[in-house]
Amino acid sequence: MIQQALFAALTTMAFGFLYQVRTSLLWISGVIGALAWMASLTVSLIPGAGLLGDFVGAFVVGSLAEVAALWKKQPVTIFVVPAIISFVPGYMVYESMVAFLKNHFNQGLRFGLTAIFSAAALSLGLALATALLRPLLRPRHPFSSH
């Protein structure tokens, strides 16, 4: 698990570098990616967890990104985008397309639906983290002019 977390951190930092995230912020993105990957792996060990691992990983990314954005006074996307990339089900989409091209429609449909549901779990995890944490971390004052 530690080795996979290190690879997740390196992958996150590499994508952050590609997206021109400042070098001083790359390590934070790497830590977020590693912790999210470990959380996802841990949940995936539960029998019958299914896509819950993707959801939890995305929720951890969204939560830690909100905290990091507030701490470093940066946009949340600087931390979310590189950290969520390793969760994107691109390989499943590829396998789906290959199966369809080989006329294996049931297999292609299975891979395609798995990719769609995985993407939905990722979206829901990120959205829920933002919806729950942003109001807690950045409370709006009722008489504020901002």
Side-chain angles (χ1 to χ4, degrees), residues 38-104:
M38 287 192 328
S40 176
L41 279 178
T42 302
V43 170
S44 295
L45 294 175
I46 300 169
L51 296 173
L52 187 61
D54 287 342
F55 171 79
V56 169
F59 187 83
V60 170
V61 167
S63 300
L64 294 178
E66 286 289 338
V67 172
L70 186 63
W71 173 41
K72 290 295 187 177
K73 296 179 176 52
Q74 296 292 322
V76 175
T77 53
I78 286 177
F79 304 106
V80 167
V81 172
I84 204 69
I85 289 284
S86 54
F87 288 99
V88 173
Y91 182 72
M92 293 299 261
V93 173
Y94 169 78
E95 286 293 330
S96 176
M97 295 305 293
V98 169
F100 282 129
L101 289 173
K102 291 181 177 179
N103 289 329
H104 300 145

Side-chain angles (χ1 to χ4, degrees), residues 5-19 21 26-37 61 78-87:
L6 288 174
F7 283 132
L10 288 174
T11 302
T12 299
M13 291 170 63
F15 275 105
F17 182 77
L18 285 175
Y19 294 136
V21 173
L26 281 178
W27 71 271
I28 298 171
S29 294
V31 168
I32 291 171
L35 291 173
W37 193 258
V61 167
I78 286 177
F79 304 106
V80 167
V81 172
I84 204 69
I85 289 284
S86 54
F87 288 99

Side-chain angles (χ1 to χ4, degrees), residues 51 54-55 58 89 113-126:
L51 296 173
D54 287 342
F55 171 79
L113 287 174
T114 302
I116 289 170
F117 288 134
S118 176
L122 294 176
S123 299
L124 186 61
L126 287 174

